[in-house]
Amino acid sequence: MEHIKNGNNFLLSGGAGSGKTYSLVQVIKQVIEDNPTSKVACMTYTNAAVKEIEERVNHDNLNVTTIHDFLWDNIKHFQKELKSTLVKLINDVDVTKIKIENGTVPFDYFDSLEDEIQYKEYLRLKEGIISHDELLIVANSMFQRFPKLCDILKDRYQFIFIDEYQDTHKEVIEIFLTHLNQSKKKNIIGFFGDAMQSIYPDGIGNLDDYKGDEDEKVKEVKKEQNRRNPKLIYELANRLRVNADGLIQTHSDDNNAPNMSDGTVKDGNLKFAYSSDGNLQTFRDYLGWNFSDSKQTKELNLTHNLIAGKAGFRSLMEIYDRDRITELKNKITKKIKEDNIEIAEEATFGEVIDQVNLAVNPSTQIGQFLTQNNDLYLTARNYPFTVFRKIYLDKDQLLDDKKQDKEDENKKGSKRDHLIKHLFKVQNNISLYQNKQYNEFLRVTDFRYKFKSIEEKRVLQKNINELVNVENKTIEQIITEANVKGICLVDDNLMRFIAEKEYVYNRVKNVRFSEFQKLYNYLEGATPFSTQHKTKGDEFNNVLVILDNGKWNQYNFESLFLNSGTESVLERTQKIFYVCCTRAKENLAVYYHNPKPAVIEKAKELFGPGNVVCLD
């Protein structure tokens, strides 16, 4: 409040479990009390968080939204500037995410639109409709180009607070801390979050470039209490971040905090176990937890591969993670480049294979895959090579752990491809209806039924039920039905995906939609399994963390214990491990398969010698 009184932009940094949202709410209440005529904007990451804050603070002068909705609300009325900005971005060769098929467009391209530029759940650029990813780029450009827009925003809101700032895209931070400075008007911007929990690659991560003692800099306040974790766990968390930013937590001074009991902080339980056989069931039995209770107990893995079979989405995982035909294509493309081989423009993939004459050993994974999937291979050979060479498959396109909220599936920066994003929309829209969130359902579907008659309600309910009880219907069948019934319209992104990545679509379309529903349930937390990224923001009584890199070179748990490897990998691994450990409200267990002796010694240092267990 002292910083606010002095007119300073500020940053509240708090470790896991420190009650940052509570602090945000208290600041909002105090600001409203001290400034009864001032408008306050609060932005957070998900619709669920918006509702939580609105429930805690109810005031006419407070506007709580997601970041995307806030930005749109502040640019949507300036249609002339919106249209000129979109044209500029379409024609800018450096902007790859906003493009129209025929390349550049004239300055009056959008003037003939019947409707205004719109922001929706899907992208149809020719019709003047932008979606999540494009909005951030458009808003950033508009605030940079039009200083008067900055004046208007500052006049409108005297206070702007941003929750979970570390996950916010850099374009958003540029708007508030760079572009708004074009205006001489005054307002105060406050950020709430934790740099140690910045585990998404396209988030800003930290505000180090903006922090400082100078008047124009952001002033940092550190919140050092911990309300969630028992003593053994927050002390472990302190040891994990001591070399990061030096924020050291202690227990809360509030006797009603979850980690307090009769005026004393709970000790909690901590275990680090290892074995040479990799048998996790032995450790599960040792712990004695109820792993069927997904609300109280979670097993956290870095990768999805071990989870896929148990959770029931193995076929989709096989397509996205183990397609050996695209792997063969990659090898051929590499050989063409290395040997400078001239390929005809009209050549098929099969003709290129024959021309390059790359020998495939039948005993290798690629060779075995081609033998077992001969029909698929013969089909792939007929694709134009110029198209097929651009196809890329990776499991992140299926189940990227970019922070997802079931009410906002198309979250900025997600690596999921447009086919999987569309399937999430289908299932999300169904869920909105099932959960009786009818207004939201109508908004995201642009539904043609407006509940004008009992008969229309019956038709809608029948259509939804047919998409819930899918039986043996394929993914393609459900996409078609959802589109025809108006429950999830096919948009430009999906049509372009089908045209440009027909091979992938043809593989996925024949998988049963019920398998995708199981994937959806897994990613929405309805199973006892979770990846370590997905669990961020959650808390459970019992947490088991599996330290397995899963052949993912962006992380290395051995480097975490030995303080070795590249700086970026080490920092990334420290943060994900910190997030995992601080989910536990009572019991934390960590399992490491076949560690080096030096790893065991470091584990004893971190966890305490008495808490390190050999299961062999």
Side-chain angles (χ1 to χ4, degrees):
M1 295 310 299
E2 190 70 22
H3 287 311
I4 290 174
K5 179 182 176 182
N6 294 332
N8 297 326
N9 293 338
F10 68 88
L11 160 64
L12 181 127
S13 295
S18 63
K20 292 183 290 297
T21 302
Y22 174 84
S23 292
L24 170 62
V25 168
Q26 295 306 108
V27 168
I28 292 172
K29 287 180 177 179
Q30 190 66 50
V31 163
I32 290 174
E33 183 178 327
D34 294 348
N35 306 271
T37 62
S38 296
K39 294 287 187 180
V40 179
C42 176
M43 282 163 278
T44 189
Y45 210 85
T46 64
N47 289 317
V50 168
K51 291 172 186 173
E52 180 185 354
I53 294 170
E54 284 179 332
E55 287 169 0
R56 297 197 203 184
V57 189
N58 183 14
H59 197 279
D60 290 342
N61 285 352
L62 174 65
N63 179 33
V64 188
T65 64
T66 62
I67 291 169
H68 285 75
D69 287 344
F70 179 85
L71 292 175
W72 178 245
D73 189 50
N74 282 279
I75 65 174
K76 65 183 179 183
H77 299 297
F78 306 103
Q79 285 291 317
K80 179 182 176 183
E81 290 78 9
L82 256 172
K83 290 174 180 177
S84 72
T85 299
L86 262 178
V87 168
K88 174 181 175 293
L89 293 169
I90 289 169
N91 293 338
D92 189 336
V93 294
D94 294 325
V95 179
T96 59
K97 291 186 177 179
I98 300 181
K99 286 286 171 278
I100 281 181
E101 290 172 12
N102 52 357
T104 59
V105 297
F107 71 92
D108 59 351
Y109 181 78
F110 291 108
D111 288 358
S112 60
L113 283 178
E114 291 185 12
D115 296 316
E116 298 181 329
I117 301 296
Q118 300 174 73
Y119 164 53
K120 296 195 176 186
E121 301 292 313
Y122 51 86
L123 174 68
R124 285 181 178 168
L125 201 51
K126 290 182 179 178
E127 299 172 28
I129 298 173
I130 60 173
S131 65
H132 293 72
D133 292 339
E134 299 77 37
L135 172 61
L136 297 181
I137 301 169
V138 171
N140 181 279
S141 182
M142 285 185 68
F143 277 98
Q144 183 180 27
R145 295 178 69 206
F146 305 111
K148 188 168 284 189
L149 194 58
C150 302
D151 287 336
I152 294 169
L153 179 59
K154 284 188 171 183
D155 276 342
R156 193 175 182 191
Y157 295 105
Q158 288 72 56
F159 300 91
I160 298 175
F161 301 134
I162 301 173
D163 195 19
E164 299 282 4
Y165 81 87
Q166 73 278 355
D167 296 331
T168 304
H169 206 284
K170 67 177 183 178
E171 276 90 348
V172 176
I173 302 298
E174 284 178 359
I175 290 171
F176 292 112
L177 292 181
T178 301
H179 303 335
L180 284 191
N181 289 336
Q182 298 176 95
S183 169
K184 301 304 180 185
K185 296 177 181 290
K186 298 292 184 183
N187 78 343
I188 292 171
I189 302 171
F191 300 89
F192 296 75
D194 181 11
M196 193 66 177
Q197 297 185 66
S198 60
I199 59 174
Y200 305 119
D202 42 11
I204 190 70
N206 60 64
L207 295 183
D208 290 352
D209 291 342
Y210 299 93
K211 289 192 302 188
D213 296 327
E214 297 88 347
D215 289 343
E216 73 276 8
K217 295 288 189 177
V218 176
K219 316 298 182 186
E220 183 176 23
V221 177
K222 293 185 178 182
K223 185 171 187 182
E224 295 172 336
Q225 65 168 301
N226 186 306
R227 298 173 54 84
R228 174 196 299 149
N229 307 124
K231 189 171 188 287
L232 287 175
I233 296 173
Y234 75 65
E235 287 181 345
L236 169 65
N238 286 341
R239 291 190 285 274
L240 291 174
R241 77 181 295 162
V242 67
N243 293 324
D245 59 5
L247 193 152
I248 302 300
Q249 289 186 310
T250 184
H251 63 79
S252 172
D253 54 9
D254 177 8
N255 289 337
N256 295 318
N259 61 356
M260 301 293 287
S261 177
D262 298 327
T264 305
V265 64
K266 299 174 184 177
D267 281 336
N269 293 295
L270 201 59
K271 281 285 180 287
F272 178 97
Y274 62 95
S275 66
S276 57
D277 62 5
N279 186 354
L280 263 175
Q281 192 56 47
T282 303
F283 192 31
R284 294 191 191 101
D285 294 341
Y286 172 88
L287 293 170
W289 300 346
N290 179 10
F291 282 88
S292 64
D293 186 351
S294 62
K295 292 185 178 180
Q296 299 297 333
T297 303
K298 282 291 180 183
E299 178 182 309
L300 309 182
N301 294 267
L302 184 59
T303 69
H304 302 271
N305 271 306
L306 288 175
I307 298 172
K310 298 173 186 177
F313 55 91
R314 173 55 64 192
S315 297
L316 288 169
M317 194 68 172
E318 291 285 346
I319 292 170
Y320 277 86
D321 194 42
R322 296 179 182 176
D323 185 277
R324 306 303 179 191
I325 293 177
T326 54
E327 192 176 324
L328 173 63
K329 179 264 300 179
N330 293 340
K331 287 180 176 293
I332 288 172
T333 303
K334 182 180 178 183
K335 186 171 176 59
I336 290 171
K337 187 175 181 180
E338 288 175 347
D339 296 350
N340 199 25
I341 300 173
E342 197 74 33
I343 300 296
E345 182 72 24
E346 68 279 3
T348 65
F349 179 43
E351 289 169 343
V352 172
I353 292 172
D354 297 338
Q355 179 182 346
V356 172
N357 195 26
L358 183 69
V360 176
N361 188 330
S363 64
T364 61
Q365 290 181 330
I366 293 178
Q368 292 171 2
F369 186 90
L370 298 182
T371 301
Q372 295 166 6
N373 298 272
N374 189 53
D375 289 345
L376 181 66
Y377 176 54
L378 292 175
T379 301
R381 286 179 60 93
N382 292 322
Y383 285 106
F385 184 66
T386 53
V387 174
F388 197 75
R389 73 183 302 167
K390 297 176 183 177
I391 291 178
Y392 166 75
L393 276 172
D394 183 86
K395 59 180 177 293
D396 279 355
Q397 296 168 305
L398 175 70
L399 28 68
D400 175 35
D401 270 332
K402 173 71 181 178
K403 190 173 186 177
Q404 301 282 337
D405 183 87
K406 63 184 177 183
E407 295 172 321
D408 192 0
E409 80 295 336
N410 206 10
K411 190 64 67 182
K412 63 186 191 311
S414 174
K415 293 179 183 175
R416 291 176 183 168
D417 68 29
H418 288 298
L419 172 57
I420 299 302
K421 283 182 179 180
H422 186 83
L423 296 177
F424 263 85
K425 284 183 184 179
V426 173
Q427 193 62 34
N428 285 340
N429 293 354
I430 292 168
S431 297
L432 286 172
Y433 183 88
Q434 287 180 301
N435 295 328
K436 299 182 179 180
Q437 296 173 265
Y438 299 128
N439 288 336
E440 184 69 7
F441 173 81
L442 289 171
R443 185 185 73 81
V444 301
T445 56
D446 277 345
F447 211 74
R448 62 178 180 269
Y449 299 105
K450 300 300 181 184
F451 298 108
K452 293 178 181 175
S453 69
I454 296 296
E455 180 57 30
E456 285 177 341
K457 289 183 180 180
R458 287 180 183 147
V459 170
L460 175 58
Q461 187 173 30
K462 175 177 176 290
N463 287 341
I464 291 286
N465 287 336
E466 288 174 355
L467 293 176
V468 172
N469 306 310
V470 296
E471 298 176 337
N472 290 327
K473 290 179 181 176
T474 65
I475 282 172
E476 183 178 44
Q477 287 174 305
I478 295 300
I479 288 174
T480 302
E481 287 185 26
N483 182 60
V484 170
K485 293 170 180 176
I487 290 166
C488 188
L489 301 178
V490 170
D491 70 359
D492 289 358
N493 285 324
L494 181 60
M495 293 304 297
R496 188 165 60 248
F497 180 93
I498 293 172
E500 295 176 357
K501 300 183 179 180
E502 185 182 358
Y503 171 78
V504 181
Y505 180 73
N506 285 343
R507 290 207 66 189
V508 174
K509 72 178 184 182
N510 295 320
V511 175
R512 292 180 180 178
F513 189 76
S514 59
E515 177 166 326
F516 174 78
Q517 289 176 318
K518 290 175 181 175
L519 170 70
Y520 180 92
N521 289 336
Y522 159 65
L523 290 175
E524 291 304 324
T527 74
F529 309 103
S530 177
T531 61
Q532 294 162 4
H533 288 78
K534 180 66 178 177
T535 196
K536 186 187 167 188
D538 291 332
E539 54 184 34
F540 307 96
N541 284 348
N542 312 306
V543 174
L544 169 58
V545 184
I546 311 301
L547 299 188
D548 179 357
N549 299 328
K551 298 180 180 178
W552 196 356
N553 58 13
Q554 289 184 310
Y555 297 86
N556 190 316
F557 289 115
E558 184 173 281
S559 74
L560 170 71
F561 285 86
L562 302 183
N563 196 32
S564 61
T566 65
E567 184 178 344
S568 61
V569 169
L570 180 57
E571 179 183 350
R572 204 175 289 123
T573 309
Q574 286 172 330
K575 288 180 176 180
I576 194 67
F577 189 51
Y578 175 87
V579 167
C580 290
C581 292
T582 53
R583 302 308 95 203
K585 294 163 60 179
E586 301 284 347
N587 307 302
L588 171 67
V590 176
Y591 176 79
Y592 198 122
H593 175 223
N594 207 22
K596 292 179 179 178
V599 171
I600 298 171
E601 290 307 308
K602 182 62 177 180
K604 289 177 180 178
E605 182 183 324
L606 286 172
F607 290 78
N611 295 320
V612 177
V613 180
C614 177
L615 300 175
D616 289 339

